Amino acid sequence: MELVTPHIPPQPAAPPSRLNNARVLKVELGARSYPIRIGKGLAANEAAFPEAQGRALRVITDSNVAPVYLAPLLAALHIGDDQVFVLPAGETQKTWDSAGQVLDWLLASRLSRDGCLIALGGGVVGDLAGFCAAIYQRGIDFIQVPTTLLAQVDSSVGGKTGVNHARGKNLIGAFHQPLSVIADTSSLSTLPRRELLAGLAEVIKYGMLADSLLFEWLEANLDRILALESNALAEIIERCCAIKARIVGLDERETGSGPRALLNLGHTFGHAIETHTGYTQWLHGEAVAAGLCLAADLSARHGWITEAVAARCITLIQRAGLPTQPPPGMTAADFRDLMGLDKKVQNGKLRLILMRGLGDAIISSDFDASLLDSVLHDACSAAG
Amino acid sequence: MELVTPHIPPQPAAPPSRLNNARVLKVELGARSYPIRIGKGLAANEAAFPEAQGRALRVITDSNVAPVYLAPLLAALHIGDDQVFVLPAGETQKTWDSAGQVLDWLLASRLSRDGCLIALGGGVVGDLAGFCAAIYQRGIDFIQVPTTLLAQVDSSVGGKTGVNHARGKNLIGAFHQPLSVIADTSSLSTLPRRELLAGLAEVIKYGMLADSLLFEWLEANLDRILALESNALAEIIERCCAIKARIVGLDERETGSGPRALLNLGHTFGHAIETHTGYTQWLHGEAVAAGLCLAADLSARHGWITEAVAARCITLIQRAGLPTQPPPGMTAADFRDLMGLDKKVQNGKLRLILMRGLGDAIISSDFDASLLDSVLHDACSAAG
């Protein structure tokens, strides 16, 4: 069902030359394996979408992305704009009610079970559209076309879909793998600067948790990224997706003991910040950036990494123009309360992702609670 | 009822002799395989729930079932009634909004990802609770404790979960297999007569589509069922579950060409009837009963079964006190409109489950549309 289009005459494969400029990775998940295609202009190139050919298609996007990228995509896919649902932009749209509206529209548009959704946008659109694909008529195919750096290196790969809840982020959702992921680097040229930087937080995260060479490459080449140099962007997207694809291939559904949880480095703190600020003031990547600093600090206080390594992490995050402290006014008690409900709580014991080296993260509930308290207290005091 | 903490120390495994009176089947789905336990008194027997031991548990049930079966289940599982969500009874509760309320409650109760839901009730409770388990924190475990004949022979087995939509039944949902299914035959003794008969419609369906011996057994033993003879009930539950387990094992996610769709014999017509009557006037099994008669009639008009076989099907359904015709006032045009959105539409061509013998069903889009029209017209005219 997920990967097969049973009743469509096979199309001739697109000549490989037409995608010569694309880098292609594969997420290995048996019957649910899929390609990630990375390159300039792919979202406007029919040849990047062989999985969509001959299918009934619907596009979900948002009000920021639609004016810029929708028309070229529709032209590439030969579909009309009556097959598009445009959400208002923003994380506040990633709700149960919005999902209900998308499902109402899909049903009104009479998309059948063998149809295919296309998510064109950032993480909010991808997570929400993916969740709708997961539960529309018990699951239909979908294709991710991420238009933000954050979505290209993280949220569009791996099959996590879902919506937020007043009690926390992504508390309702499903694992549902896409048919393919099409990461068009040219979409980063119109991305607001603040969102580009927020995506960089996840890139730095990959370096911190799994790839010291990537981390050092970022230290040396940060300016090329900030100048939007095309090859540099493609390089980090490919490198991050390769890490994520490998980890997701080992642990598709994030079992308690599996490596996928490592990708949440900084996220338990970050989710608490996002919940505390109501999802409206901080971008996800900004909250993760501050969370990465807290995780590095806590790791250093345990002696698991040196203070010099923690300082390099915090410095790189600062150079990228990202926050290194919690929001002003947030207290250690706020963190404790909000982290109590986090999905990483198992049998009442909080588990955190921490570092034991540059490019080497672990899942641990074996940390010193008083050190956690002092990290939170110091960070919140410094933030004011 | 005493209040007990959710973190119960693991109990020693129950000696097998304590479940000596249970019939046990297995649904073979690799890592998602699970047992179906059938017997008298199982829902009040701790030994029937080895999968629940030592877990944080929450129970979803409804206002009809709770007064009769909740207390014994809670006692068997050593949990308090503050861990229970009671839905108002009825198919009208199987909605997106109700699912949202259950998810709100689960989050408020701070159930973590390693917790387990128990669905105590009929198909509505099982489908809704299973859907919530499928999407709560991207999927948690659940156990089905079906209390109606329909749920015991059909909806609790196979992992289909979901909610209805104004545009049709089960249009939003997920495949999510339970950890186990506990079918307690004693719960049928308090089941309203009308619901028992509605469940019998699905039993007759199994005979018509896959098991002519079951069909003949029903013709000979219908009175024992209607008299609620315990062994006869266990016999049909076991036999139907064995058929369903075999088909689900071959085709977990109901691919277009797989055998699982055969279980929908009568259901395309039945869903149209339920949608037309707003889910309030006809029970699911009653709508299926009328749908089975339409499917048998259409099969006979094609010459795929004899008129004598169709007549035996319709007679058995009638003897079971079930409707053999659509609701008065419903027209052939109503059927055509409502069947157009049915999930069984592929690439614009309606596919129906039809019979080519007693105990032998096929999936076909190769039927004569004018014969379908005449069947619908004749049945609707006869119903008035």
Side-chain angles (χ1 to χ4, degrees):
Chain A
M1 174 72 200
E2 278 175 61
L3 291 173
V4 183
T5 53
H7 299 296
I8 300 157
Q11 304 284 328
S17 62
R18 293 176 61 192
L19 277 182
N20 255 357
N21 66 335
R23 304 174 186 224
V24 182
L25 295 170
K26 193 165 180 195
V27 184
E28 298 286 356
L29 290 168
R32 293 179 298 285
S33 298
Y34 56 91
I36 304 168
R37 305 188 181 102
I38 303 160
K40 203 173 166 68
L42 293 193
N45 183 345
E46 180 180 5
F49 295 91
E51 295 85 3
Q53 289 185 8
R55 308 284 296 269
L57 303 173
R58 300 291 185 277
V59 179
I60 314 292
T61 187
D62 74 26
S63 56
N64 281 347
V65 171
V68 193
Y69 298 110
L70 182 58
L73 177 75
L74 295 182
L77 296 172
H78 310 290
I79 53 176
D81 59 9
D82 55 335
Q83 309 298 320
V84 181
F85 187 97
V86 182
L87 289 156
E91 181 88 22
T92 54
Q93 295 302 314
K94 204 176 126 178
T95 63
W96 181 252
D97 287 345
S98 293
Q101 287 166 27
V102 171
L103 293 164
D104 287 345
W105 174 78
L106 289 172
L107 287 165
S109 82
R110 303 207 162 205
L111 184 67
S112 66
R113 274 179 74 178
D114 51 352
C116 179
L117 271 194
I118 296 180
L120 173 70
V124 169
V125 167
D127 287 2
L128 181 67
F131 180 54
C132 292
I135 62 175
Y136 183 73
Q137 302 206 11
R138 297 202 190 92
I140 62 170
D141 288 338
F142 80 116
I143 293 173
Q144 290 273 20
V145 187
T147 58
T148 65
L149 181 58
L150 188 146
Q152 290 178 349
V153 299
D154 185 19
S155 60
S156 70
V157 176
K160 279 193 179 180
T161 73
V163 295
N164 298 327
H165 187 274
R167 291 180 181 271
K169 275 180 65 82
N170 298 317
L171 288 174
I172 298 167
F175 287 95
H176 190 56
Q177 302 293 342
L179 275 190
S180 61
V181 179
I182 313 302
D184 184 344
T185 53
S186 55
S187 63
L188 302 184
S189 63
T190 57
L191 192 64
R193 190 70 171 178
R194 193 176 156 200
E195 289 202 41
L196 181 83
L197 302 182
L200 260 184
E202 299 281 355
V203 177
I204 295 169
K205 178 198 78 173
Y206 283 108
M208 286 169 63
L209 79 90
D211 190 343
S212 60
L213 292 180
L214 170 60
F215 189 91
E216 286 164 8
W217 190 93
L218 288 167
E219 286 181 316
N221 294 277
L222 184 63
D223 294 344
R224 294 174 60 202
I225 303 291
L226 296 177
L228 296 177
E229 192 186 303
S230 212
N231 280 337
L233 291 171
E235 180 67 25
I236 57 171
I237 296 167
E238 182 182 10
R239 198 128 182 181
C240 293
C241 285
I243 296 169
K244 181 143 189 187
R246 179 166 50 81
I247 291 179
V248 169
L250 293 170
D251 182 22
E252 183 178 1
R253 295 177 76 93
E254 193 170 333
T255 57
S257 54
R260 186 157 181 169
L262 297 174
L263 296 169
N264 288 324
L265 181 65
H267 280 59
T268 300
F269 299 111
H271 285 172
I273 291 172
E274 288 185 278
T275 306
H276 179 76
T277 54
Y279 304 116
T280 54
Q281 299 168 49
W282 285 50
L283 296 176
H284 174 68
E286 293 169 340
V288 167
L292 289 172
C293 294
L294 293 170
D297 186 3
L298 183 57
S299 304
R301 293 200 198 197
H302 281 85
W304 297 347
I305 59 174
T306 63
E307 289 195 10
V309 164
R312 280 173 70 188
C313 294
I314 294 165
T315 299
L316 184 59
I317 289 165
Q318 196 163 33
R319 282 180 59 206
L322 287 162
T324 58
Q325 291 175 338
M330 188 168 179
T331 65
D334 293 331
F335 272 101
R336 277 193 300 269
D337 181 48
L338 292 166
M339 289 161 66
L341 184 63
D342 191 279
K343 295 190 290 298
K344 282 156 284 296
V345 178
Q346 296 224 352
N347 295 316
K349 177 72 175 145
L350 181 66
R351 295 158 75 246
L352 288 173
I353 318 303
L354 294 169
M355 297 171 72
R356 60 182 181 193
L358 192 61
D360 185 8
I362 50 165
I363 309 165
S364 176
S365 55
D366 191 26
F367 57 85
D368 185 327
S370 65
L371 289 180
L372 173 60
D373 275 348
S374 63
V375 165
L376 292 173
H377 184 266
D378 292 353
C380 292
S381 300
Chain B
M1 229 160 296
E2 65 178 30
L3 187 76
V4 183
T5 76
H7 301 293
I8 304 160
Q11 305 285 326
S17 61
R18 293 176 61 192
L19 277 181
N20 257 357
N21 64 334
R23 304 174 186 222
V24 182
L25 295 170
K26 193 165 180 193
V27 184
E28 298 285 354
L29 290 168
R32 293 179 299 285
S33 298
Y34 56 91
I36 305 168
R37 305 188 182 102
I38 304 160
K40 202 173 167 65
L42 293 193
N45 184 344
E46 179 180 5
F49 296 89
E51 295 84 4
Q53 290 186 8
R55 308 285 296 269
L57 304 172
R58 299 290 184 278
V59 178
I60 314 292
T61 187
D62 75 24
S63 55
N64 282 348
V65 172
V68 194
Y69 297 110
L70 182 59
L73 177 74
L74 295 182
L77 296 172
H78 310 291
I79 54 176
D81 58 8
D82 55 334
Q83 309 298 322
V84 180
F85 188 95
V86 182
L87 290 155
E91 182 89 22
T92 54
Q93 295 302 314
K94 203 175 126 178
T95 63
W96 182 252
D97 287 344
S98 293
Q101 287 167 26
V102 171
L103 293 165
D104 287 345
W105 174 77
L106 290 172
L107 287 166
S109 82
R110 302 206 159 205
L111 184 68
S112 65
R113 276 178 75 179
D114 51 354
C116 178
L117 272 193
I118 296 179
L120 173 70
V124 169
V125 167
D127 286 3
L128 182 67
F131 179 54
C132 292
I135 62 174
Y136 183 73
Q137 303 207 8
R138 296 204 189 91
I140 62 170
D141 288 337
F142 81 115
I143 294 173
Q144 290 273 20
V145 186
T147 58
T148 66
L149 180 58
L150 187 146
Q152 290 177 349
V153 299
D154 184 19
S155 59
S156 70
V157 175
K160 278 193 180 180
T161 73
V163 296
N164 298 328
H165 187 274
R167 291 180 180 271
K169 275 180 65 83
N170 298 317
L171 288 175
I172 299 167
F175 287 95
H176 189 56
Q177 301 294 341
L179 278 190
S180 61
V181 179
I182 313 301
D184 184 344
T185 52
S186 55
S187 62
L188 303 184
S189 63
T190 57
L191 192 65
R193 189 71 172 178
R194 193 176 156 200
E195 289 202 40
L196 181 83
L197 302 182
L200 260 183
E202 299 281 355
V203 176
I204 294 169
K205 179 198 77 174
Y206 282 108
M208 286 169 63
L209 78 91
D211 191 343
S212 60
L213 293 180
L214 169 61
F215 189 91
E216 286 166 8
W217 189 93
L218 288 167
E219 288 182 315
N221 294 276
L222 184 64
D223 294 343
R224 294 174 59 202
I225 303 290
L226 296 177
L228 296 178
E229 191 186 302
S230 211
N231 279 338
L233 292 171
E235 181 68 25
I236 56 171
I237 296 167
E238 182 182 11
R239 198 129 183 180
C240 293
C241 285
I243 296 169
K244 181 145 189 186
R246 178 166 53 81
I247 291 178
V248 168
L250 293 170
D251 182 21
E252 183 178 2
R253 294 176 76 92
E254 192 169 334
T255 57
S257 54
R260 186 157 179 167
L262 296 174
L263 295 170
N264 288 323
L265 181 66
H267 280 58
T268 300
F269 300 110
H271 285 171
I273 292 172
E274 288 186 278
T275 306
H276 179 76
T277 53
Y279 303 115
T280 54
Q281 298 167 51
W282 285 49
L283 296 176
H284 173 70
E286 292 169 342
V288 167
L292 290 171
C293 294
L294 293 169
D297 186 2
L298 183 57
S299 305
R301 293 199 197 197
H302 281 86
W304 297 346
I305 58 173
T306 63
E307 289 194 12
V309 164
R312 280 172 70 187
C313 295
I314 294 165
T315 299
L316 184 59
I317 288 165
Q318 195 163 34
R319 282 180 58 207
L322 287 161
T324 57
Q325 291 175 339
M330 189 168 178
T331 65
D334 293 331
F335 272 101
R336 277 192 300 269
D337 180 49
L338 292 165
M339 288 161 67
L341 184 63
D342 192 278
K343 295 187 292 296
K344 281 156 285 295
V345 178
Q346 297 224 352
N347 296 316
K349 178 72 174 145
L350 180 67
R351 295 158 74 244
L352 288 174
I353 318 303
L354 294 169
M355 298 171 70
R356 60 181 180 193
L358 192 61
D360 186 8
I362 50 166
I363 308 165
S364 176
S365 54
D366 190 28
F367 56 86
D368 184 328
S370 66
L371 288 180
L372 173 60
D373 275 348
S374 64
V375 165
L376 291 173
H377 184 266
D378 291 354
C380 292
S381 301

